[in-house]
Amino acid sequence: MSEKLRVNFAGVTFENPVTTASGTFGSGMEYSDFVDLEKLGAVTTKGVANVPWPGNPTPRVAETHAGMLNAIGLQNPGVDTLISRDLPFLREKGARIIVNVCGHTKEEYVEVAERLADEQVDMLEINISCPNVKEGGIAFGQKPEMAEEITKAVKKVSTHPVIMKLSPNVTDIAEMARAVEAGGADGVSLINTLTGMKIDVARRTFLLANKTGGMSGPCVKPVAVRMVYQVANAVDIPVLGMGGIQNTEDALEFLMAGATMVAVGTANFFNPYATSEIIDGLEEYAKREGLGNISEIVGCVGKG
């Protein structure tokens, strides 16, 4: 691969701007027969907590028009398993590593960041869509002051650059981005899933046991592109864009809106080659357009 796709995100150099969206790629093991993990810009792991989480009861996945709903509940085996099993596997495969971190309290986030301080990973992505149990279940990412506080706490102990993953379920996404920037975030990623619901009309009840779930896939892309554009023009830290990316053209939209990197999520479920195909497509685009580097188009649509 040429240097045309090489990007710098928060001081870290990646060979290309394509990573995986947390929760859609495991820790790479499930996809390593389909995708050369070393070819990816990075692998973003499934969210990891300080202890194993069992997740929500089933059913917890449902198809929607042009997308899906999930209420997995951030089921994960905990940071100990990540360190002993997943990180060695990813390093053996030559992958760059972004670890997604989840928690129910500020202390839980901090504990995971501390545990990872001596590990060879490239970045931490902090999922602030998690419910804050001390505040009655409201997500950390729905109040600017909470988002800033959790950012400061993680930054204080982390030895790695910290990306804050923003929830779209807010009134003003730019306000949330400015809050985490004020807290010291090195970058932001967005969007996380939109809250949705599906009714089983035959049974006259909720299709998901959790009643609501996170909506992802092509149906959310226009919202995601709009929010990435708003955030890229509101803060001075880099943006990792995601939400419904299926192909090269989708990825280009996010880059032109202002994202420095992109993450592929739901598309992995129906096309395990999607990430690799998008990387090849971006390389072809850069050559065809005579670009010295793909970063030349980042934010090219300008400010509104």
Side-chain angles (χ1 to χ4, degrees):
M1 188 175 296
S2 71
E3 296 183 4
K4 289 183 180 292
L5 296 189
R6 189 172 294 164
V7 296
N8 183 291
F9 193 102
V12 179
T13 299
F14 296 97
E15 290 304 306
N16 64 73
V18 180
T19 184
T20 56
S22 176
T24 67
F25 206 77
S27 289
M29 294 180 185
E30 301 94 327
Y31 286 86
S32 59
D33 289 339
F34 304 97
V35 180
D36 178 0
L37 301 185
E38 189 173 11
K39 179 179 178 178
L40 301 180
V43 171
T44 301
T45 69
K46 180 170 175 53
V48 62
N50 62 327
V51 295
W53 286 6
N56 290 325
T58 59
R60 54 189 191 177
V61 176
E63 289 189 50
T64 66
H65 293 296
M68 63 177 285
L69 289 169
N70 93 82
I72 303 299
L74 293 167
Q75 177 182 340
N76 73 91
V79 69
D80 288 340
T81 299
L82 177 89
I83 291 172
S84 64
R85 182 192 68 187
D86 298 350
L87 296 185
F89 171 83
L90 288 169
R91 287 193 287 264
E92 179 185 346
K93 293 293 184 180
R96 305 298 295 274
I97 305 169
I98 301 173
V99 177
N100 183 280
V101 178
C102 53
H104 290 129
T105 65
K106 179 174 65 176
E107 291 75 20
E108 290 181 10
Y109 283 102
V110 167
E111 182 180 343
V112 177
E114 288 177 328
R115 289 295 313 281
L116 293 169
D118 295 327
E119 295 297 323
Q120 296 176 19
V121 302
D122 294 284
M123 287 184 176
L124 304 184
E125 180 185 57
I126 310 302
N127 177 9
I128 55 174
S129 295
C130 298
N132 182 350
V133 295
K134 290 186 177 180
E135 295 289 337
I138 188 169
F140 287 93
Q142 290 182 319
K143 284 190 175 181
E145 59 272 22
M146 265 195 221
E148 182 175 351
E149 180 183 352
I150 198 71
T151 305
K152 286 180 178 177
V154 173
K155 278 292 295 179
K156 188 175 181 179
V157 300
S158 177
T159 59
H160 309 291
V162 172
I163 310 169
M164 303 303 291
K165 188 170 186 177
L166 304 183
S167 168
N169 302 303
V170 296
T171 303
D172 187 349
I173 192 71
E175 180 184 25
M176 300 306 303
R178 286 190 288 265
V180 299
E181 182 180 40
D186 299 290
V188 289
S189 63
L190 65 151
I191 62 173
N192 209 325
T193 55
L194 288 157
T195 303
M197 179 182 286
K198 188 171 183 178
I199 304 295
D200 184 332
V201 296
R203 296 191 301 125
R204 301 183 187 183
T205 188
F206 303 102
L207 197 144
L208 297 174
N210 194 60
K211 298 183 181 179
T212 61
M215 185 172 68
S216 62
C219 54
V220 309
K221 196 189 79 173
V223 176
V225 172
R226 184 262 297 177
M227 288 191 168
V228 164
Y229 173 77
Q230 286 180 293
V231 168
N233 287 292
V235 297
D236 294 322
I237 53 179
V239 175
L240 169 55
M242 66 192 77
I245 296 174
Q246 300 181 85
N247 52 43
T248 301
E249 184 173 325
D250 292 338
L252 287 168
E253 277 196 67
F254 279 84
L255 294 173
M256 291 181 182
T260 299
M261 292 183 69
V262 297
V264 181
T266 301
N268 291 310
F269 295 138
F270 60 85
N271 177 14
Y273 305 102
T275 48
S276 185
E277 291 172 356
I278 290 170
I279 292 168
D280 292 340
L282 290 176
E283 178 109 34
E284 292 171 9
Y285 175 85
K287 291 177 180 177
R288 185 172 69 248
E289 296 295 315
L291 301 177
N293 185 272
I294 196 69
S295 61
E296 292 171 25
I297 67 164
V298 171
C300 69
V301 295
K303 297 183 178 182

